[in-house]
Amino acid sequence: FLSCSLSDPGFVPRDWRSMTVEWDLQVGSGPNLHEWNPGTITMCSKCGEKRPERAHHCSVCGRCVLRMDHHCPWIGNCVGIRNHKSFILMLGYGMLACLTLAFTAFPWIKVKLLGGVSRPQGYQLPVQSYLMFSLGAMLAASFSLALGILLISHIFLLGVNRTSIELGYSGTNPYSLGCLLNAKQLLGELDVSWLLPVTPIQPYTDGLYYPQTGPAYPPLGQPEVVVENRSILSKVIGRNSGEE
C-alpha cells in the first residue's frame, strides 16, 4: 500500500520534455487521441505540454502520467508505469489477508449459528464479541471478493498489455508481444521480485518507449510526423553509441 501511495506513478520527466525541444521532435495529432498512437508524441490539451506515447493527463494530480491506468482514491495516487506492479501486489496480498480472516472465523461462526460439539477449544467469546467477530468476517469476505475481481481484471490487463483507459481503444493493440513479455514490461525479469513491492529488475520498457509488434506507425494522415521523429532519434542514438 505504501509503495502504491507514496511512490511516483510515472509523471512525465522534465528532462524528456527538454529533450523534445532540443531535438525538435514533432507532435502528432491524429484524428482521435483515444486511439492507438504508437511512436507518436502528443500534446496534452490540459497542461499544454508534450507527452510520450501511452501517457495521459490525470485531472486529480494535474499532471500527465506515463502509461496511466487510473487515479485510485483508495491510495490517493495515480496508477501508472512506476507503481502498477505494487498496485497489483496490493490487490493480491489484500485479498489473501481478507480470505485468511474469513476462513479462520468460519468455524467459530458456524458453531455459534448452528451449534454442535465441534466448538473450538480454549476460548469462549461473549455474544457481543461474536457479533463483532462475525461482522469482521463478513466484511473480510466482501472485501476479498471485490479485491479478487479487481485483481483478475488487472492480471488480464497485464497479460494483454493494456490499461483501463486503453480498453476502449479500437483496432489491434500494437504493444501486445505475448503474455510473458507483456508482463515483463511491468514486472521485470521473471524471478522472486515479481512477488515483492520493489523496483522491477530490467523491465522491458522505461515508460517513454514501448516495443511493438511491428514498425511504428502514426495515426492516419500523420505519416511525416513519426518518420521525422524516428529519423532524428536514430541520429541521436547513433551519435551517443559512437561516443561510448
Side-chain angles (χ1 to χ4, degrees):
F1 173 81
L2 292 178
S3 179
C4 291
S5 179
L6 302 180
S7 63
D8 175 4
F11 295 122
V12 177
R14 299 186 185 276
D15 290 345
W16 179 86
R17 285 177 169 148
S18 300
M19 176 202 71
T20 62
V21 175
E22 179 183 352
W23 294 350
D24 194 27
L25 298 183
Q26 302 301 307
V27 176
S29 57
N32 185 358
L33 292 180
H34 295 288
E35 293 180 355
W36 300 112
N37 292 289
T40 305
I41 297 173
T42 57
M43 181 69 75
C44 178
S45 60
K46 302 291 180 61
C47 57
E49 297 280 358
K50 293 180 181 179
R51 61 188 181 187
E53 53 188 310
R54 305 188 79 179
H56 294 277
H57 186 86
C58 174
S59 57
V60 179
C61 296
R63 300 174 65 180
C64 289
V65 179
L66 301 174
R67 199 183 181 277
M68 176 180 172
D69 188 89
H70 68 288
H71 185 92
C72 179
W74 300 106
I75 65 174
N77 199 4
C78 281
V79 177
I81 185 70
R82 304 291 183 222
N83 65 348
H84 202 158
K85 172 190 174 182
S86 296
F87 182 77
I88 294 174
L89 291 177
M90 182 189 71
L91 295 177
Y93 290 134
M95 182 192 69
L96 290 177
C98 290
L99 284 175
T100 300
L101 173 57
F103 281 112
T104 302
F106 179 75
W108 295 82
I109 298 173
K110 178 182 177 181
V111 168
K112 189 64 178 179
L113 295 178
L114 303 179
V117 296
S118 58
R119 183 183 301 275
Q121 300 296 319
Y123 297 96
Q124 297 296 328
L125 297 177
V127 176
Q128 295 84 350
S129 298
Y130 262 116
L131 292 177
M132 296 298 295
F133 198 51
S134 301
L135 178 60
M138 293 174 60
L139 288 175
S142 302
F143 280 130
S144 65
L145 177 62
L147 292 173
I149 294 174
L150 278 175
L151 177 64
I152 291 173
S153 67
H154 279 272
I155 289 178
F156 167 77
L157 292 174
L158 177 70
V160 299
N161 203 348
R162 287 179 180 248
T163 64
S164 299
I165 296 174
E166 293 169 346
L167 276 178
Y169 287 9
S170 58
T172 303
N173 180 4
Y175 302 111
S176 183
L177 308 175
C179 187
L180 180 59
L181 291 180
N182 291 341
K184 287 182 177 181
Q185 287 197 13
L186 282 183
L187 306 180
E189 286 294 337
L190 179 57
D191 55 23
V192 69
S193 67
W194 275 30
L195 303 177
L196 302 175
V198 296
T199 302
I201 299 175
Q202 296 181 345
Y204 275 37
T205 179
D206 59 0
L208 301 173
Y209 166 79
Y210 298 87
Q212 299 167 26
T213 53
Y217 61 90
L220 295 176
Q222 295 289 325
E224 69 286 352
V225 171
V226 168
V227 171
E228 182 175 351
N229 287 349
R230 293 180 69 191
S231 176
I232 295 172
L233 288 173
S234 64
K235 293 178 182 177
V236 174
I237 293 172
R239 182 187 66 191
N240 293 341
S241 299
E243 293 174 353
E244 295 175 355

